[in-house]
C-alpha cells in the first residue's frame, strides 16, 4: 500500500507540461494553478471536463475500492481547497480537453513508498571467524587467534607486538543505490571509518576513510595518509538527479577507486588513484580504535525536511567486495554491514502519470486503485478529481 505522506522542499516549482508517451492517446499535465485562480477553477471544473475517465462499471466492488467518494463532496469528506496551500492541475488529452483535475499540497508535492532504510552491523562483532597471527613475547613465537570482523579490519595496534599490524586495517569497500532529488548545500558523509585516540585528554579523532557526497554532486574519499596529512580521491562528474545511481568506494592500502553507474545506463564513471609510495605509518606507540559509521547519512534519511530528497537502498560494507560486484546481485555475498528497507519518493508528476495508467485499466509498480483518492459523478461515474493532499479523510496511511 502506498503511504501518501507528502513532504519536501519546493525544488521543482510549477509542473509545466509533461507528455506521457506510454499512454494512448497521449495526455499531458497542464500548468499548476494556485491561489484564487485555482479555487475558481475547482469550483467550476465539472463544466470543463470534456473527456472524462469513468469508474469501471464491473461493478460495485471496484467502485467501493475507489477511495474518496462522489462529487460534489462535503467538507467532512475531504478538506476544502485552501488557495494559500493547495494547487490544482488539469490532466488533458492530446487535443487539450480536460480529462480530470488533480489537487495536491503546493509545498509538499511528494509521496513515499516503503520504509526508511535500516542498517544491520551485527556481523562485525560475531562470529569470531577471522584467523590472525599474533606475537607471544614470552614464548617469542607467533600464535593463531580468532577474532571478529571489527577487530580484524581494525587491525592489531599493540605496540608491544613484534608484528603490530595484523589483520586488514587498510581495506574498505562501501556501496549502495542512491537517488537524489537535488544537491545539498553541505557535504554529506555517506560512510566513514574514523580513528579515535583516547590516550590524551581530551581525546581526539580524525577521518580515516570518509566517503562523501559533495554539494557539487561529486563523490570523494578523504583518508589519513600519515599522522599529519590526508589524501583525497574525487570524481569528475556529478551523479545525476532524479534517478537511481549505484555508487561505491574502495580502498586497498594505497590504491583507491570511486565508481558510479546510473541504473538506466545513461552515464557512469570510475576514478582510480594510487597515493604516494610512502606506506601509511602511525608514529605514536599507542592503540588506536577505528569505528564504522553511516550516522550522517541516516540523519538525512530520517529527517522530515531532507529524507524525501535523498533515497537509499541496498547499502553494504564488506572490504572484499569488488567494484560494481553487487550492483545487480545484492545478496550474492554475506555483508559485514547491510541494509534492509529503503524508501522511495515520487514527485506529483509521476503520481499523476501512474494514477492515469491505473484508472485506464493498466497496472503500476508504485500504486493501486486503492491508493488514490478519487471523486466522481454518481450519475455518470465520470471521474472528476484525484486528490493527493494530506490530512484528509480517506487517505491511505
Amino acid at each position: 500500500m502506498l503511504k501518501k505522506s507528502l513532504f519536501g522542499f519546493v525544488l521543482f516549482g510549477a509542473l509545466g507540461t509533461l507528455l506521457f508517451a506510454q499512454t494512448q492517446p497521449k495526455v499531458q499535465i497542464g500548468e499548476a494553478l494556485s491561489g484564487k485562480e485555482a479555487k475558481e477553477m475547482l469550483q467550476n471544473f465539472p463544466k470543463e471536463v470534456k473527456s472524462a475517465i469513468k469508474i469501471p462499471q464491473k461493478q460495485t466492488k471496484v467502485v467501493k475500492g475507489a477511495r474518496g467518494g462522489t462529487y460534489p463532496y462535503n467538507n467532512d469528506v475531504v478538506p476544502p481547497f485552501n488557495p494559500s496551500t493547495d494547487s490544482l492541475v488539469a490532466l488533458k488529452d492530446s487535443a487539450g480537453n480536460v480529462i480530470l483535475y488533480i489537487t495536491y499540497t503546493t509545498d509538499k508535492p511528494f509521496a513515499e513508498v516503503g520504509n526508511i532504510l535500516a542498517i544491520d552491523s551485527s556481523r562485525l562483532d560475531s562470529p569470531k571467524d577471522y584467523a590472525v597471527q599474533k606475537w607471544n613475547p614470552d614464548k617469542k613465537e607467533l600464535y593463531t587467534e580468532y577474532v571478529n570482523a571489527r577487530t580484524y579490519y581494525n587491525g592489531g595496534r599493540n605496540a608491544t607486538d613484534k608484528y603490530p599490524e595484523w589483520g586488514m586495517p587498510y581495506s574498505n569497500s562501501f556501496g549502495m543505490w542512491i537517488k537524489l532529488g537535488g544537491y545539498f548545500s553541505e557535504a554529506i558523509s555517506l560512510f566513514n571509518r574514523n580513528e579515535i585516540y583516547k590516550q590524551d585528554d581530551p581525546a581526539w579523532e580524525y577521518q580515516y576513510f570518509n566517503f562523501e557526497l559533495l554539494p557539487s554532486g561529486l563523490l570523494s574519499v578523504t583518508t589519513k595518509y600519515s599522522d599529519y596529512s590526508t589524501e583525497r580521491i574525487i570524481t569528475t562528474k556529478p551523479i545525476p538527479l532524479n534517478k537511481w545511481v549505484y555508487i561505491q568506494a574502495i580502498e586497498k592500502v594505497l590504491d583507491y577507486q570511486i565508481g558510479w553507474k546510473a541504473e538506466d545506463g545513461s552515464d557512469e564513471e570510475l576514478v582510480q588513484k594510487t597515493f604516494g609510495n610512502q606506506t601509511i605509518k602511525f608514529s605514536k606507540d599507542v592503540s588506536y580504535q577505528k569505528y564504522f559509521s553511516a550516522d550522517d547519512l541516516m540523519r538525512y534519511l530520517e529527517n522530515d525536511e531532507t529524507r524525501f530528497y535523498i533515497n537509499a537502498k541496498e547499502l553494504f560494507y564488506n572490504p572484499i567486495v569488488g567494484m560494481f560486484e553487487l550492483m545487480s546481485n545484492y545478496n550474492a555475498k554475506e555483508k559485514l554491514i547491510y541494509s534492509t528497507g529503503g524508501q522511495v519518493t515520487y514527485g506529483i508528476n509521476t503520481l499523476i502519470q501512474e494514477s492515469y495508467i491505473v484508472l485506464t485499466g493498466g497496472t503500476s509498480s508504485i500504486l493501486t486503485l486503492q491508493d488514490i483518492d478519487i471523486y466522481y459523478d454518481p450519475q455518470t461515474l465520470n471521474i472528476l478529481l484525484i486528490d493527493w493532499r494530506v490530512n484528509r479523510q480517506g487517505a491511505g496511511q
Side-chain angles (χ1 to χ4, degrees), residues 28-40:
Q28 56 187 357
I29 297 177
E31 183 178 356
L33 303 176
S34 58
K36 182 179 179 181
E37 185 179 13
K39 187 172 184 178
E40 292 176 351

Side-chain angles (χ1 to χ4, degrees), residues 126-146:
S126 178
K128 294 183 177 181
D129 54 3
Y130 292 81
V132 298
Q133 295 293 303
K134 301 187 69 175
W135 179 253
N136 186 323
D138 296 328
K139 295 183 177 181
K140 300 186 184 305
E141 64 182 15
L142 289 170
Y143 69 97
T144 299
E145 182 175 309
Y146 286 88

Side-chain angles (χ1 to χ4, degrees), residues 146-180:
Y146 286 88
V147 299
N148 60 33
R150 186 186 300 274
T151 300
Y152 182 72
Y153 285 105
N154 276 341
R157 309 299 313 157
N158 190 343
T160 64
D161 281 355
K162 183 177 181 179
Y163 303 95
E165 291 187 351
W166 47 260
M168 296 179 63
Y170 308 117
S171 293
N172 292 288
S173 181
F174 173 86
M176 66 177 176
W177 285 97
I178 190 169
K179 182 181 179 184
L180 298 176

Side-chain angles (χ1 to χ4, degrees), residues 245-290:
V245 182
Y246 183 86
I247 62 175
Q248 189 171 352
I250 292 177
E251 175 201 6
K252 297 296 181 186
V253 190
L254 297 176
D255 296 325
Y256 287 75
Q257 293 179 299
I258 301 180
W260 61 264
K261 288 186 179 184
E263 184 180 37
D264 61 8
S266 59
D267 202 0
E268 63 183 77
E269 183 174 20
L270 177 61
V271 178
Q272 305 180 68
K273 182 178 180 180
T274 298
F275 292 167
N277 57 10
Q278 176 186 353
T279 302
I280 300 175
K281 293 181 179 179
F282 301 85
S283 61
K284 296 181 176 63
D285 294 331
V286 294
S287 295
Y288 291 81
Q289 177 183 349
K290 302 181 187 70

Side-chain angles (χ1 to χ4, degrees), residues 216-373:
S216 59
L218 301 178
L219 298 171
S220 78
V221 170
T222 303
T223 189
K224 173 183 174 180
Y225 181 60
S226 70
D227 276 335
Y228 307 104
S229 63
T230 59
E231 283 277 2
R232 168 180 278 190
I233 180 174
I234 188 170
T235 55
T236 63
K237 298 186 294 186
I239 63 173
L241 298 176
N242 301 313
K243 62 177 65 177
W244 283 106
V245 182
Y246 183 86
I247 62 175
Q248 189 171 352
I250 292 177
E251 175 201 6
K252 297 296 181 186
V253 190
L254 297 176
D255 296 325
Y256 287 75
Q257 293 179 299
I258 301 180
W260 61 264
K261 288 186 179 184
E263 184 180 37
D264 61 8
S266 59
D267 202 0
E268 63 183 77
E269 183 174 20
L270 177 61
V271 178
Q272 305 180 68
K273 182 178 180 180
T274 298
F275 292 167
N277 57 10
Q278 176 186 353
T279 302
I280 300 175
K281 293 181 179 179
F282 301 85
S283 61
K284 296 181 176 63
D285 294 331
V286 294
S287 295
Y288 291 81
Q289 177 183 349
K290 302 181 187 70
Y291 61 90
F292 307 77
S293 174
D295 291 347
D296 287 347
L297 171 63
M298 293 303 295
R299 277 192 283 270
Y300 278 86
L301 294 175
E302 294 171 354
N303 188 298
D304 281 348
E305 294 184 350
T306 57
R307 66 190 177 99
F308 294 92
Y309 287 92
I310 177 170
N311 299 163
K313 62 182 180 180
E314 299 185 4
L315 175 152
F316 75 88
Y317 173 84
N318 195 333
I320 66 173
V321 174
M323 184 61 69
F324 304 132
E325 185 176 340
L326 300 186
M327 179 176 177
S328 302
N329 196 12
Y330 181 59
N331 293 318
K333 290 180 177 289
E334 291 185 332
K335 293 162 284 293
L336 299 180
I337 300 176
Y338 64 94
S339 67
T340 58
Q343 70 176 23
V344 184
T345 59
Y346 297 98
I348 193 66
N349 278 15
T350 300
L351 295 175
I352 295 171
Q353 176 183 2
E354 295 296 308
S355 297
Y356 177 77
I357 292 173
V358 170
L359 293 174
T360 53
T363 58
S364 167
S365 62
I366 69 173
L367 58 84
T368 68
L369 183 65
Q370 286 70 39
D371 295 315
I372 310 169
D373 277 7

Side-chain angles (χ1 to χ4, degrees), residues 3-12 104-113 116 181 300-311 343-348 351 388-392 396-397:
K3 182 180 180 183
K4 296 194 289 293
S5 299
L6 309 184
F7 295 95
F9 303 135
V10 185
L11 295 182
F12 293 87
Y104 63 95
T105 305
T106 302
D107 63 346
K108 301 174 182 178
F110 287 89
E112 67 165 322
V113 177
I116 293 176
Y300 278 86
L301 294 175
E302 294 171 354
N303 188 298
D304 281 348
E305 294 184 350
T306 57
R307 66 190 177 99
F308 294 92
Y309 287 92
I310 177 170
N311 299 163
Q343 70 176 23
V344 184
T345 59
Y346 297 98
I348 193 66
L351 295 175
W388 278 103
R389 293 179 297 167
V390 296
N391 299 322
R392 71 240 186 255
Q397 299 297 326

